[in-house]
Structures are given as C-alpha cells and as structure tokens.
Amino acid sequence: MALPGVSQSPLQKGYDTIIIGAGVQGLAIAYELAKLGHTDVLVVDRSWPGGGASGRNGELIRSAFASREWCDLFELSRQKWLNLSEELNYNVLFNRTGYGVLASTEAQWQQIKTDHEFQRTLGIKTLLLDERDARTLLPAANPDHVRGAVLQEQAGFAHHDSVVAGYLENAARLGVQIVSGITVTNLLRQGDRVTGITTSTGDQVQARIVVNAAGGQAEHINVMADLRLPLVAARLEMIVTQPVRPFLKPGLAALELMGYCHQTGRGEFVGGTELPLADETESLNGSWSLLQDMATKFVQLFPELAGVNLLRHWAGTVSQTPDIAPYLGPVEQVPGFVLSIGWVYGFMGAPAAGELLAAYIHHGELDPRMTAFGIERAATGSWIAEGSLVVENQHGATALDEGDAR
Amino acid sequence: MTPSPLQEPQSSPVLAETSAAQGTVRIKFEGRTVEAKSGQTIAAALQKTGVRTLSRSVKYHTPRGYTCGFGACGDCPLTVNGTPGTLSCVTPVEPNQVIKRELGFPTAGFDVLRTASFMRPWLGAGFQFKLFTKQPRLSSLAGKFLAILAGGGRMPTPAASAAAKVTAVEHISPQVAVVGAGVSGLAAALAAAATGVTVTVIDRDFLGGRSGVRTEPVTDNGTSVHLGTEFLRLLDKARRDPLIQILPGIAVGFIDGLLPVVAGTTRYEVRPQSVIIATGSYETPVLIPQHDRPGVMLGDAALKLAEVEGVSPGKSAVVIEADPRAGEIAQRLRDAGVAVREVCPADTVEEIFGWSRARGVILRGASGQRRRIRADLIVVAGQRRPAEELALHLAYAEAGTHEQVTSDRFTLADSHIRVGSAAGSATYDLEQVRAEAVSLAQKLTPPSTTK
C-alpha cells in the first residue's frame, strides 16, 4: 500500500522541475514550490518517502550555532518550524522544549560563553546557564558532568516521520507528483546542461531543472552530471530506550561525550554519540563499539538509565562535506542542475532550504542565506568555519564538537 | 482481586526437576504477600492468586494479561525489584521480590484512563498528527500530559540501576555457539561436541523453552520422542560433557562477529567460529476483536501454565483453531482439568467479550446466526513462525548491511545453521539435527588453544 500522497499515475514526458529524493529536503522544496503555484514538479525516490536519513536522525532543532552562515540559515528554519504544524495543517509534534549545549569542563564553559556572546550579537536569543541553573535544567544529569550550559528556549525537536508525511501530503494536495520505488538511472544531458532523467522504469523524462536532493546517494547523482565535489560518506548510530518517566526536558548536546540526545513525547530516550573520526563505511548495521560507547556515555551522564532496556539501535549514512555544511543552490558549470546535498543537519535545516531553493527555482532569486552555502567554496577552499559542530572536519580544524541534530 | 479457587494440576517433571530447591517462595505484589512455588515464574504465581491484568495497552489502556508465556508478546512486563520492563512470564520468583505493575492511573488494576477506549472513534491511527495543529499551546499541554502517561512512571530505582551495571566482562571463543537450549539446540550441541569441537550453549534459563509444551511430533530416527523427557536427558548429558560450556544468559544479538550475552552483572563476549541457531519459534496471534483481553492465551502459554508451572490456566475454555494443533491442545487442556467447551475455527469467531477479562466468545455460523459461549479461558491456536531475529542478524553481518535482507529471503554464511523449529518446521527429526551439526563441526578449523 502506497503512502497517502504517493502517486500511482504514469510519469509524464516532462516536467518543469524534477526533484531526486523524497526525503525531507526534496519534499520541502516540492511543497514550497507548490505554494508558489509552481506545481509542474515530479519528486522521484528509489525507495519510500523518508526512507533514508529523514527517517534516521535525532530530530533536533536549533539555530544557535557559532558562525553567521549557520545561524542565518538555521534561524530562518527555526522560525518556520515554530509555525510548521499550522502551515501544513499537520501536527509535526514540534516540542519547544529548548535545546541545550552542555559544558562539562572549564574549557567547554569558556567556549559556550563565547558562542553565547556571538549568538547575542546576531540577535539569536540564548540563555547562559551557570552550574546551578544548568543542574536545575537537567536534574537527572550526573552533577560531575555539569559545568554550565547554553539554552535556546524556542528550539527542541519534532517528530521526523510526521514532518515527512506533512510535507508529502501537502505537496501532493497542491498538485506535485511524487513517485516511489523508481530509481534515477542517469541524467539527460545537452552539452553541459542537465535536461532530465532516465529511470529504472525505462522512462526518459525531460525537465528544465533537476534537483539533486538524494541524501546518502547524492554523490552518485553528481557523477551522472560529471560534477566532482568533495563529499565523504559518514555513518552515524543512535539508540532508543523503552519509554520511561519524563526525566529530560530539552534536546541536549553534551560536548564532553560528543553526544546528543532527547526524550520523545512517548518517553523514549533517543541519543547518539560519535567517535573522533568519521566512519566511512556505508553499512546500515549497528556496530558493537558504538553501541558500547553510547550506552556507557549516556549512563555516565544520566545514571538512572542503567537498567533501562534498549528498544532499538540503528545506523544511518550521510554524505558530508569537508566543513559539514550542505552544498545548496545552482551549479554554474552544469546549467539546469541544482543541489541540496551534503547535509548533516538536514532535518532541522529542511524548512529553510526548501523555501530558499524554491524561490531560486521559481523566480531565480539567490538569497544570501543560501548562496553562503554554494559550491564555490569547494573551488576556493574558503570553507565555513563553524566552530560548534561535533565532528573532526577534513581540513583539520578540529572543532569542539557540539552534538547536533543528526 | 479475589483469589479464584482454581484446580491445580500435577506439577510437571520439567519444573520439578529443574527447580533448584523445592518449597515455597514469598514475594510481595503491590503490598501483599503472595506465595509461589520455587522455580515458578512471577506471572504464573500471579495467575495462581487470581491476578489477571498484568499491564495496560498504551493507547486505550485496556487490560492485558498472560498471553504468550515465552517472553515474546510484551503483555506481561512488570517492575521487579525496581527494574521496569521485566518479562514476568519468563522471570522466576525469588524470595522477597517486590513486584508492581506499570502503566495505569491510579493503578494498572483499576485504571480510569480506560475511558480512552470510549473515545475510540476520535482516536484513529495518527490522530495525534491531526490534533491541535493551530493551537500550539494545547498541543504542548497535550504532549506533556501524554508524556507522563507514556512513560508509565517507569524508571529503575537507584538500587536497581546500580545492580544492573555490568561489573565483569568475560571473553570466550568457542568453536561453536548454540543459541537456544531446547531439544534441538542441545541435540546439536552434543553432536558437535562429539566431533571434538568446543561448544558454548546459551539460553536464558535452561528450562527447555517450548520443548515442554509443544504438540508437534518430533522424531528421532523416525521414532517419536517425548520432548519434556528428552530435554531433561539431553541437558543432563550436556552438563556432563567436558567440551560443552553451559552459559545461562541472554544473547542480545550478533554484532561485529560478537554474540554479547548478558548474565546478571557479567557480560560474556562470545566470539564463535560458528553459530547454531536453535532459537525455536513463536505462535502468531489471531486478530479477533478484544483478542488482547486477559484470559486470552496462545496455545503454548496455556499448556505451559497447566503442565509446566502447575497452575490452572482457567476453568472452562474455548479453543480457537487457526492451526491444526488446536485439537491436541484441547485434549491436553482437558487432561489438565480444564473443561473445554468448544474448538471453533478462527473465521467463525466474531469477537471475544468481557470488559476486564475474557468471559467468552461470540460465534457466527454460516447462516449468520450468532451464538455466545461463556468461558474464562480463550486459547488461540495460531500458526507457528520461526524465531528468526538472530538468524537475520547473522544474515545482516554476512551481507554487510540489512538493506536487502528480508525475513522471507536471506542466506546464512556456511559457518552458521538453523536447527529445530527455528529452521522453519516445528516437526523435525533429531537425527537430521545431529547430522547437520556434525557436518558443520567438521568444517571448522582444529580447536584453538585458547578458550
């Protein structure tokens, strides 16, 4: 049985816009386009909508980062999150529980104080919580791990499947065709230009614009356009416990643990940690070392979790850029080809990216909040220096890692 | 809760011979003292005292009780000594255990949230995504309220948390790990060990699993065997085999070449060359309205209470037939003193009735006439399905990912096999099991010096 909104109709000969990937990125673009009256759009997915990283992430939402580029893009997104349920008429269960970054050491405390000051200059409202206030915010946390925190109150987490479903149903209702179980086998080209796709169903479908929003498969699509961009596969793992009484209110990134977590509305504790180097294998199997790492660290942070059963443990893959920031927007050397790829914080960023990319596709508008994430930085090497991410990035700047919303 | 005067059948040899000490154990259940037999499970002890509601459904808070008997269905978790989510149908009683139920306001036994079931027409699948889209405050309030309910107040007590921490890790590398010590697992273990390889047998409790209750014939070289007796004989033999290590604990899966086994506060990291999967099978329930009421049990569960635990599953029963085993199950229940009113095909059962527990079934005949049969025990004889989770884990490891591995289509590496009902059919021959184990063992490299 197909999901509500997934089309069973045959493909047309051509569309104005084809979006490859029916994850939260592709569907948000499709919905935003449809909202502009731009409904000659096909979204095509090799599996089911939300079947990749959109269904395998930590659901966290914030905009308090440590660089102007990130803060600007994610602040737009956060604003959209605040009203997304109403806009989609679909309760995406956005919980405004707050998003905290926890410092456990003096050095981390200094770091988040700097971040807080920076966020203040951009007008992003965060609270700096000293040791006592941070302990009040996190009563279940092991006090040894609590030195202080930065809390963004109007942030939190949403329900990832409902976000995918909300965008899907609304895009479909407005006239976008969304198909699943169809693989894009190649891109149609005229010289450098991309003019459509060929599919596993044997169809050749023309389009003015083809958007690569293929998540973990993005690089395969780039190769079809002869586009080589630095991307590296990374594997992330998370765990979910059985439901327990509410003990953790905000979404939380713990610098000391290189971990991020929250407790869902159903009482499940959901969290993931990272090891220092990206795991470049593509397997979706969980690994023993990370399972141990996650269980050990989260029990250190929340001692009550010892003895709580795990329900699930999963792995997901992302395709990340050297600065962990996405590649957004058009590709100058490949006309007709638009990117929304390389996402690691894609769930929280989707509402903004959807709006900005739709504005570009519909009337050619290049918003600076989007162009800041253009592919030019791969050629110039002027990567975005975002100091509050949780990964050791490729060009060496080891960031204090802040956990994230993967 | 008033204790019901149930007839008590004779205790079976399995329980009698595997329990460490005969006698009475006192446990505390929600403030009162309950007497149980040593070796009994918590759920059986509660059944004996007349407690039928063990948990509540999450959404409608309808009562649920003893259903599958083998830790598979999730209807019986209780908080035991401060540890939530303890599967009471497979956890033995221990002196002075403190036991309480979860999910219910004020209690699981009497739950005013049951009123949610009156709102069923407005609480369809996905209702939470349609409510309060334009009232963020109400949405947030509802979320907070539901979060308190959903967690059910569950959280380990500090003492339980401390007690749950693993304090020792043992690394063992047997040539063969057998997961599941039912008759097929033990037969395979003994046959493999007889070729000279080292074998570790892993099982939660070494009580024989479903061997003691199954109705399907198992043969040895064509001669039918009594599974309960065979289990005890094989276990005794395995315990005395120097190449076989008996490891009581829970195998949590197969991950990165490792079978982690949790045994109390010790974790065994078992790295076998080969895995013999003898995880047995499940019974599948039948979807009939109110099929989750306390008093509705699967066949193995009812027989386990009657024949293994020595507790009557009910006074009068209806057996719902969705599998040919129904007749045999009915006969064995009669032998245990249960008055079986009727064995009826599943497609004739319109619904199960009863508010807080099953009181009977409503049947619909071919011409549409309805008929009520009263019974306090509804036994569902559902189809068997192999317990294949561990086999799937091994298949994921082999494939490198689980993307293309599905339960009806997967292959195991040559170094692993499935035996007994885990292999697909609950009717099998032990000679075949032994032959497969021997053939597997002969492929292995000679015993390593480190064990």
Side-chain angles (χ1 to χ4, degrees):
Chain A
M1 194 188 77
L3 287 169
V6 173
S7 163
Q8 305 296 316
S9 313
L11 300 180
Q12 301 169 25
K13 291 268 174 252
Y15 297 82
D16 178 82
T17 305
I18 293 174
I19 299 167
I20 304 171
V24 67
Q25 298 302 336
L27 293 170
I29 299 167
Y31 165 72
E32 294 287 351
L33 278 171
K35 221 170 73 179
L36 296 169
H38 191 120
T39 56
D40 187 15
V41 176
L42 173 72
V43 184
V44 53
D45 199 286
R46 66 179 185 134
S47 122
W48 66 89
S54 301
R56 294 168 177 272
N57 60 67
E59 311 183 322
L60 295 170
I61 293 161
R62 64 163 162 158
S63 68
F65 286 93
S67 65
R68 173 173 289 278
E69 294 90 338
W70 281 69
C71 286
D72 285 352
L73 182 71
F74 287 92
E75 178 58 17
L76 171 65
S77 219
R78 193 187 66 86
Q79 295 288 348
K80 291 183 71 75
W81 275 111
L82 294 176
N83 300 312
L84 198 60
S85 292
E86 182 173 4
E87 181 173 342
L88 298 178
N89 192 24
Y90 202 97
N91 195 339
V92 299
L93 305 180
F94 175 43
N95 289 272
R96 280 184 248 186
T97 53
Y99 184 109
V101 176
L102 176 67
S104 304
T105 65
E106 199 53 39
Q108 291 160 2
W109 171 240
Q110 294 307 326
Q111 161 85 23
I112 63 170
K113 278 207 293 192
T114 312
D115 291 350
H116 167 69
E117 190 52 35
F118 174 74
Q119 289 150 8
R120 204 178 57 77
T121 63
L122 293 185
I124 291 176
K125 201 175 148 201
T126 51
L127 300 175
L128 189 65
L129 306 180
D130 63 12
E131 200 167 315
R132 221 188 65 191
D133 290 346
R135 284 181 189 175
T136 309
L137 176 74
L138 303 167
N142 178 350
D144 297 347
H145 283 269
V146 181
R147 171 63 189 89
V150 171
L151 177 70
Q152 184 171 26
E153 287 183 299
Q154 292 294 309
F157 56 90
H159 186 287
H160 53 198
D161 292 336
S162 68
V163 176
V164 169
Y167 274 129
L168 172 68
E169 288 188 18
N170 278 280
R173 177 178 57 80
L174 294 171
V176 171
Q177 187 179 3
I178 297 140
V179 295
S180 63
I182 297 179
T183 304
V184 172
T185 49
N186 212 340
L187 297 177
L188 300 175
R189 306 292 299 277
Q190 262 176 24
D192 288 337
R193 175 173 288 276
V194 170
T195 58
I197 59 170
T198 61
T199 68
S200 54
T201 49
D203 291 292
Q204 287 205 354
V205 191
Q206 304 285 332
R208 179 180 67 96
I209 286 187
V210 173
V211 182
N212 180 0
Q217 306 297 309
E219 193 162 18
H220 298 302
I221 306 293
N222 276 0
V223 168
M224 296 173 192
D226 296 318
L227 179 64
R228 311 279 163 175
L229 287 173
L231 278 171
V232 53
R235 226 171 132 268
L236 303 156
E237 296 185 30
M238 296 190 76
I239 51 174
V240 183
T241 72
Q242 70 182 134
V244 290
R245 79 170 161 71
F247 73 99
L248 171 64
K249 188 178 169 229
L252 190 70
L255 298 175
E256 183 72 1
L257 308 182
M258 286 180 77
Y260 41 93
C261 55
H262 72 283
Q263 188 178 12
T264 71
R266 283 191 301 201
E268 299 144 331
F269 172 85
V270 182
T273 61
E274 294 188 14
L275 298 176
L277 289 169
D279 175 350
E280 294 187 29
T281 60
E282 284 193 347
S283 165
L284 293 176
N285 290 344
S287 69
W288 178 240
S289 53
L290 252 158
L291 178 59
Q292 277 190 299
D293 190 66
M294 292 188 284
T296 309
K297 283 176 174 172
F298 287 126
V299 167
Q300 272 170 17
L301 183 58
F302 299 112
E304 286 176 298
L305 284 177
V308 174
N309 294 319
L310 288 188
L311 287 187
R312 290 184 291 282
H313 164 210
W314 80 83
T317 56
V318 292
S319 163
Q320 68 189 32
T321 64
D323 57 2
I324 322 295
Y327 293 128
L328 294 182
V331 179
E332 202 185 328
Q333 61 270 40
V334 188
F337 196 48
V338 173
L339 303 178
S340 178
I341 63 171
W343 283 102
V344 178
Y345 289 63
F347 178 74
M348 66 168 79
E355 175 176 307
L356 300 179
L357 284 161
Y360 167 72
I361 293 165
H362 184 61
H363 40 71
E365 180 190 330
L366 288 164
D367 189 287
R369 289 170 292 190
M370 177 183 80
T371 50
F373 292 89
I375 61 164
E376 294 70 26
R377 69 190 200 279
T380 60
S382 55
W383 299 105
I384 300 169
E386 167 54 51
S388 79
L389 307 181
V390 207
V391 235
E392 187 165 18
N393 54 29
Q394 290 230 305
H395 58 289
T398 326
L400 251 186
D401 198 321
E402 212 173 83
D404 50 54
R406 290 165 172 192
Chain B
M1 296 292 158
T2 49
S4 45
L6 295 172
Q7 263 198 351
E8 199 176 317
Q10 281 268 301
S11 177
S12 84
V14 176
L15 180 66
E17 293 188 32
T18 52
S19 54
Q22 289 303 291
T24 305
V25 173
R26 286 197 173 78
I27 57 177
K28 270 250 187 282
F29 173 70
E30 295 183 350
R32 64 194 170 98
T33 303
V34 170
E35 284 201 351
K37 277 191 214 153
S38 174
Q40 230 167 18
T41 62
I42 293 169
L46 294 178
Q47 167 83 13
K48 175 82 175 19
T49 68
V51 174
R52 292 292 179 274
T53 299
L54 297 177
S55 69
R56 292 270 165 178
S57 75
V58 173
K59 189 165 168 184
Y60 297 118
H61 281 250
T62 48
R64 287 180 175 170
Y66 191 91
T67 303
C68 79
F70 288 90
C73 73
D75 284 355
C76 73
L78 301 174
T79 294
V80 176
N81 289 342
T83 301
T86 306
L87 298 174
S88 62
C89 72
V90 290
T91 305
V93 291
E94 280 169 25
N96 304 319
Q97 257 166 344
V98 178
I99 295 157
K100 68 182 182 92
R101 290 175 287 189
E102 305 168 348
L103 281 181
F105 179 79
T107 72
F110 175 80
D111 186 357
V112 297
L113 299 169
R114 176 76 188 274
T115 48
S117 57
F118 295 123
M119 296 192 279
R120 209 174 273 260
W122 298 279
L123 298 179
F127 76 98
Q128 67 270 40
F129 303 125
K130 301 295 181 189
L131 280 183
F132 307 136
T133 55
K134 295 184 169 56
Q135 297 91 11
R137 274 170 205 282
L138 270 180
S139 172
S140 154
L141 198 66
K144 278 180 192 154
F145 179 68
L146 292 173
I148 292 168
L149 298 185
R154 276 183 292 240
M155 200 55 139
T157 58
S161 283
K165 279 195 185 161
V166 166
T167 51
V169 179
E170 300 264 346
H171 298 267
I172 50 178
S173 305
Q175 288 175 289
V176 176
V178 179
V179 183
V183 166
S184 64
L186 289 171
L190 285 160
T195 71
V197 302
T198 55
V199 179
T200 296
V201 185
I202 301 154
D203 191 89
R204 184 200 296 268
D205 48 24
F206 288 89
L207 294 176
R210 293 175 195 256
S211 293
V213 298
R214 289 189 355 180
T215 56
E216 296 92 333
V218 170
T219 54
D220 191 349
N221 253 331
T223 314
S224 100
V225 293
H226 182 269
L227 283 173
T229 317
E230 184 69 359
F231 163 71
L232 292 171
R233 192 181 72 79
L234 294 177
L235 180 61
D236 183 54
K237 216 173 152 194
R239 284 194 199 282
R240 285 186 280 112
D241 191 315
L243 287 175
I244 295 180
Q245 178 190 24
I246 300 287
L247 177 54
I250 296 169
V252 296
F254 186 80
I255 180 167
D256 292 347
L258 190 70
L259 262 173
V261 175
V262 177
T265 55
T266 302
R267 184 176 68 238
Y268 291 86
E269 301 202 346
V270 184
R271 250 179 222 289
Q273 287 179 35
S274 251
V275 182
I276 294 178
I277 299 161
T279 45
S281 52
Y282 301 119
E283 290 176 286
T284 45
V286 178
L287 296 179
I288 294 168
Q290 283 79 250
H291 75 297
D292 60 344
R293 284 285 183 281
V296 181
M297 295 180 199
L298 302 183
D300 287 355
L303 292 179
K304 185 185 175 195
L305 280 180
E307 298 181 354
V308 181
E309 303 267 23
V311 174
S312 171
K315 280 189 251 179
S316 59
V318 169
V319 177
I320 297 176
E321 180 173 9
D323 188 85
R325 295 178 300 130
E328 171 87 17
I329 291 169
Q331 188 50 51
R332 279 168 62 170
L333 286 171
R334 283 190 190 105
D335 293 348
V338 179
V340 177
R341 299 256 186 269
E342 188 148 332
V343 178
C344 42
D347 57 10
T348 64
V349 183
E350 190 167 277
E351 65 175 275
I352 292 162
F353 66 89
W355 170 253
S356 59
R357 61 165 83 170
R359 305 281 180 193
V361 295
I362 297 175
L363 304 182
R364 184 180 284 273
S367 51
Q369 81 284 9
R370 298 169 93 219
R371 188 159 63 93
R372 287 164 75 90
I373 308 177
R374 293 189 69 86
D376 65 342
L377 172 66
I378 315 296
V379 177
V380 178
Q383 292 180 342
R384 275 203 196 281
R385 182 171 77 73
E388 62 189 2
E389 291 82 356
L390 184 66
L392 282 167
H393 263 197
L394 286 153
Y396 300 154
E398 176 70 8
T401 180
H402 61 253
E403 258 190 311
Q404 303 300 325
V405 178
T406 58
S407 84
D408 54 343
R409 180 169 49 90
F410 67 89
T411 49
L412 288 176
D414 285 347
S415 47
H416 310 310
I417 54 170
R418 292 188 280 169
V419 297
S421 61
S425 169
T427 297
Y428 57 86
D429 192 279
L430 284 170
E431 183 56 30
Q432 173 73 19
V433 170
R434 287 191 293 265
E436 286 178 28
V438 166
S439 142
L440 177 81
Q442 284 169 345
K443 282 188 277 189
L444 299 175
T445 54
S448 54
T449 46
T450 55
K451 186 193 167 184

